[in-house]
Amino acid sequence: MKYRPYAAGDYHEYFLNELLIPQQKEMLDICLGLDVLLGRFYDNKEKIGISRHHRDRDKPYYCLFEIGEETGEWRVKLVPIKSWRHIGMHNSYKENNNFHSYHVQNDLASARFRHLAELMLKRQFIKRSDYTKFKNDLLEEFKRRKDFVAGSEIRIWKPSRADQVVADKILKDWIDLYVERKTTSEKSWYSAHYNKFYTKTYSPYLDNFARYLIGDPNARNSAFWRWYLSTYLRENEYP
């Protein structure tokens, strides 16, 4: 297949869901299955239905984060959102001309994903014999965490609008998943929580990737894997 950089409505050609299973896995590794807009967890399915929302509506962009060359600061570029919610979010802007609603949801989703990424990727995790105090402190952090949303600094997990609040139970569940993910193996964690996606969708992709690496002519999506190795893995910077 010939490489076509922006083949689908200015989107990068490998933005399409069926070709970005590795990226969906990256997002699950960070959000641990929490939809940052809906405030609930993805179901354990073979195809979870994560859509990659372009934070800055920069359609050709395909990496999760962007790091400024001058400042070294990082920001979220792609946000995991349930596909139907993603469509509704854009329709509120395109069809109803409600830019404020789009702006709020856009900023809120980005701020929440950035917080989760900070916890998963940047913050040191120290193993303990008792995690009770640690979990309580982290829950309080979630409740207090602020960021700028549509120009105003608000609590991103507990804003005033009822439809944007993430329930304490969900936050506690996420913290439990976080501790478990940091203290067990990847395979054990995914087997316990997203085994269908991990075994039926992600693992076959890795098996196919292994075939590609050894030059197996039966390997599928060879053009994608060439791009993944030569471009994506080199450009995909993490905070």
Side-chain angles (χ1 to χ4, degrees), residues 148-162:
F148 283 93
V149 172
S152 299
E153 189 177 32
I154 67 169
R155 293 182 299 164
I156 60 173
W157 299 100
K158 295 289 181 179
S160 55
R161 280 185 53 179

Side-chain angles (χ1 to χ4, degrees), residues 58 85 94 98 164 181 183 215 222:
D58 183 3
R85 191 66 192 85
K94 292 179 181 179
N98 189 347
Q164 297 173 352
R181 183 67 184 88
T183 53
S222 294

Side-chain angles (χ1 to χ4, degrees), residues 208 210-222:
N208 182 57
R211 290 186 177 187
Y212 169 77
L213 291 175
I214 63 174
D216 187 336
N218 294 318
R220 302 183 306 278
N221 300 330
S222 294

Side-chain angles (χ1 to χ4, degrees), residues 30-48:
I30 294 170
C31 71
L32 303 183
L34 177 63
D35 188 296
V36 292
L37 265 187
L38 294 176
R40 61 174 184 256
F41 292 97
Y42 300 123
D43 294 329
N44 179 16
K45 296 180 178 179
E46 292 180 26
K47 295 184 178 180
I48 295 176

Side-chain angles (χ1 to χ4, degrees), residues 53-230:
H53 169 59
H54 283 76
R55 167 66 179 84
D56 297 320
R57 301 171 69 200
D58 183 3
K59 292 182 178 181
Y61 206 85
Y62 47 76
C63 295
L64 303 190
F65 304 106
E66 179 181 70
I67 301 177
E69 294 182 2
E70 296 182 359
T71 65
E73 295 182 355
W74 62 283
R75 62 176 179 167
V76 173
K77 291 292 289 186
L78 298 182
V79 185
I81 299 175
K82 197 69 176 175
S83 296
W84 66 265
R85 191 66 192 85
H86 185 198
I87 293 171
M89 182 176 171
H90 279 279
N91 286 344
S92 70
Y93 171 67
K94 292 179 181 179
E95 297 180 3
N96 302 322
N97 200 30
N98 189 347
F99 181 73
H100 180 71
S101 175
Y102 176 87
H103 194 185
V104 168
Q105 293 176 79
N106 194 31
D107 285 1
L108 191 62
S110 179
R112 286 175 172 175
F113 190 58
R114 180 184 174 94
H115 185 203
L116 300 185
E118 177 187 309
L119 290 169
M120 295 300 301
L121 303 175
K122 295 187 69 176
R123 194 172 301 184
Q124 182 182 14
F125 181 86
I126 301 174
K127 291 188 177 181
R128 303 161 171 83
S129 58
D130 184 1
Y131 289 94
T132 303
K133 183 178 185 305
F134 173 78
K135 290 180 178 181
N136 290 337
D137 290 345
L138 191 51
L139 179 61
E140 288 305 310
E141 175 185 328
F142 270 92
K143 292 179 179 181
R144 295 192 308 265
R145 179 77 175 205
K146 292 184 177 181
D147 209 325
F148 283 93
V149 172
S152 299
E153 189 177 32
I154 67 169
R155 293 182 299 164
I156 60 173
W157 299 100
K158 295 289 181 179
S160 55
R161 280 185 53 179
D163 62 339
Q164 297 173 352
V165 172
V166 180
D168 283 0
K169 183 183 183 307
I170 296 295
L171 295 177
K172 289 178 181 178
D173 287 346
W174 191 91
I175 292 169
D176 287 342
L177 293 172
Y178 171 70
V179 170
E180 183 182 346
R181 183 67 184 88
K182 291 291 185 177
T183 53
T184 60
S185 68
E186 173 182 291
K187 185 174 182 180
S188 295
W189 191 90
Y190 273 94
S191 294
H193 303 289
Y194 289 99
N195 63 303
K196 291 182 180 179
F197 170 80
Y198 193 79
T199 60
K200 301 294 186 181
T201 303
Y202 178 67
S203 291
Y205 257 74
L206 283 191
D207 291 342
N208 182 57
F209 186 34
R211 290 186 177 187
Y212 169 77
L213 291 175
I214 63 174
D216 187 336
N218 294 318
R220 302 183 306 278
N221 300 330
S222 294
F224 167 72
W225 293 122
R226 283 196 296 273
W227 171 83
Y228 184 74
L229 286 172
S230 66

